[in-house]
Amino acid sequence: MVDSPIEVRTLTLDQIEQAYALIGSCSPSVSLADWRQFATRLIRSEMDSPCPSGVVVAVNPAGRLRGTYSFWMKTCPQQHERLLVVAHLAIPLFGRRRVAEVLRDQMMRTAIACHCKAIHAQVFLDCDWNLSFFKDCDYEIEIIPVRMIEVED
């Protein structure tokens, strides 16, 4: 059996609710209103900044969402290094590893293009699957368990 290709897309403002089913499945503590506010802020800040931010989804050829994450750039004041911060990582059980690898590769491409030193992946405490393969790459990825995710100004 040949795996169908997974395409990576960045959502626009009018598409952000599409990712909520996956976000809610990973962390029921996030309401639709919270997600809408968070994602809107990311997408609007990308429009006003040279640093990218937004919501990325992985979709199959039929257009079905297979995974998602949100991201933004952060400058670490102590080292003056740029970091790519990844949050709201949500991947359903079926085909998880393949989808996660596609999303990881997209994170790495973004980090490299934006000259980021590392990737900080903020993962909900109630997200119960093993993220160790994110560390099996040529990029420094730190997994940070969190209760609440906020975009820093």
Side-chain angles (χ1 to χ4, degrees):
M1 182 171 126
V2 176
D3 290 332
S4 56
I6 300 290
E7 182 181 335
V8 177
R9 299 178 187 164
T10 303
L11 296 183
T12 60
L13 273 176
D14 60 334
Q15 298 171 321
I16 56 177
E17 290 182 14
Q18 293 177 17
Y20 181 72
L22 290 175
I23 299 298
S25 71
C26 184
S27 183
S29 61
V30 177
S31 71
L32 176 58
D34 290 341
W35 168 247
R36 199 180 291 126
Q37 181 181 11
F38 178 88
T40 298
R41 184 172 173 196
L42 278 181
I43 292 169
R44 284 196 175 135
S45 69
E46 193 216 10
M47 292 179 211
D48 300 334
S49 170
C51 298
S53 63
V55 178
V56 171
V57 294
V59 297
N60 67 15
R64 184 168 182 200
L65 267 60
R66 301 294 305 131
T68 186
Y69 68 86
S70 55
F71 73 98
W72 64 93
M73 301 296 147
K74 170 183 169 181
T75 301
C76 186
Q78 297 87 348
Q79 295 93 6
H80 301 290
E81 295 172 340
R82 293 183 77 184
L83 306 173
L84 176 67
V85 181
V86 173
H88 291 109
L89 178 64
I91 303 168
L93 185 59
F94 180 73
R96 176 174 284 168
R97 184 166 184 92
R98 194 165 131 260
V99 173
E101 287 171 348
V102 168
L103 292 176
R104 178 197 62 197
D105 293 349
Q106 180 63 32
M107 291 173 201
M108 290 174 29
R109 282 191 295 275
T110 301
I112 291 166
C114 295
H115 309 289
C116 293
K117 174 74 175 171
I119 298 171
H120 285 196
Q122 299 180 357
V123 180
F124 288 119
L125 293 173
D126 49 355
C127 190
D128 61 355
W129 60 285
N130 184 350
L131 298 169
S132 62
F133 74 92
F134 272 95
K135 296 181 179 186
D136 298 336
C137 63
D138 295 333
Y139 218 87
E140 179 185 336
I141 300 179
E142 180 181 359
I143 306 298
I144 307 165
V146 295
R147 291 191 188 281
M148 179 73 107
I149 295 173
E150 295 182 12
V151 180
E152 298 170 4
D153 291 323

